[in-house]
Amino acid sequence: MRSIVLSLAVMGGLFAVYGTPAAAAAEAKEIVFPAPPDVPRIKYLRSLARESDISGRKSGMWGKFLNAITGKEASNIFMTRPYDVCADTGSVYVSDSEGGAVVAFNLQSGKAYKIGGTLEGRLVSPMGVALDSSGRLFVADSAGDTIKVFSVNGDFLFRFGLSGSGPGQLKKPLDVTYDRGRDRILVADSGNARIQIFDTAGKFIAQIGSRGTADGQFSIPVGVAVAPDGRVIVSDTMLCRVQEFSPDGKFLLKFGEQGDSLGYFARPKGVATDSDGNIYVADALFSAIQIFDPKGELLMHFGAEGGEPGAFQLPIGVYVDDQDKVYIADSFNQRVQVFQYLKQPKAP
């Protein structure tokens, strides 16, 4: 009798972990921001946490119960602590900072695989990820003070950046992005309080910013993105602000400061821009995404603290693809959430 009671208790816990019919209904219900009757601007699409989210082979409750008891779910690849995300037309790539890998979700084949496990290309603390126009994956390995480059199939290609503070040297790089218009790579060289620019072969080109609090300077730059018009967007987690620069590194403007209301930041992390040039900023402590226009004026926010669809626990990385799908690395919920930016018709 005791074993039966224990099994029932375990199954009850599994319902809490793996979901209930009510949770499934919440997933199926359309989630938009802002909520009706306001005109929606952001729509929730899906979540990615493990291979079964794309394979279509979902375990039933009894299967999950047996997996939990026996520990047999090794083939269902999952993420421990997603940090950043990027995507192309058929795949989503997520850095797992604690798992020491990039998890690739191939949406067409329904398969997931890990990148960064080979000896030469081993990832210790993968943070920022970016894809260039040739389909190469750039990964900021913070613990190794380097950028490692892979094919999308996971083959290690080369690395660049040595530990140090000189031109082209890195210290705790936390983000990387691709400037499509100029075919170059930008790195948030956080430990050196600067943004460094490289060509796609890893050759140093230029530097933006230096350590300090004045306009154009940084304390800990953690996120970098390039807008459609070439503006360079940088978030600074310690100074609680976002700065914009011209493509050649000239300071343009800044917005945000420390605070606990909309338009302010507590711990800004990843940044991205959509096709209209709007700027998305993930605030890890607010568990929300704030959206600003290109001049830094607040447009809206979405998300709240929680584990349900559309809510976050320590969101970090943000990426917007060519179709204006918005990907959020929802770190403590161990998932990536995908949203759609709903473009509004421009006034005549």
Side-chain angles (χ1 to χ4, degrees), residues 16 20 25 87 90 95 147-148 160 175 181 195 216 227 236 243 264 277:
T20 64
S95 60
I147 306 298
K148 295 181 178 178
F160 62 90
D175 199 13
I195 302 298
D236 191 319
Q243 297 188 83
Y264 293 80

Side-chain angles (χ1 to χ4, degrees), residues 179 182 184 197 208 229-232 245-250:
D179 182 350
R182 291 153 190 82
R184 60 186 189 175
I197 304 173
I208 298 176
D229 63 0
R231 286 174 298 121
V232 177
F245 299 84
S246 68
D248 60 0
K250 179 183 177 181

Side-chain angles (χ1 to χ4, degrees), residues 327-342:
Y327 303 77
I328 309 295
D330 187 8
S331 184
F332 277 14
N333 282 325
Q334 298 179 306
R335 65 188 179 186
V336 166
Q337 296 196 68
V338 188
F339 302 82
Q340 180 68 55
Y341 167 55
L342 305 174

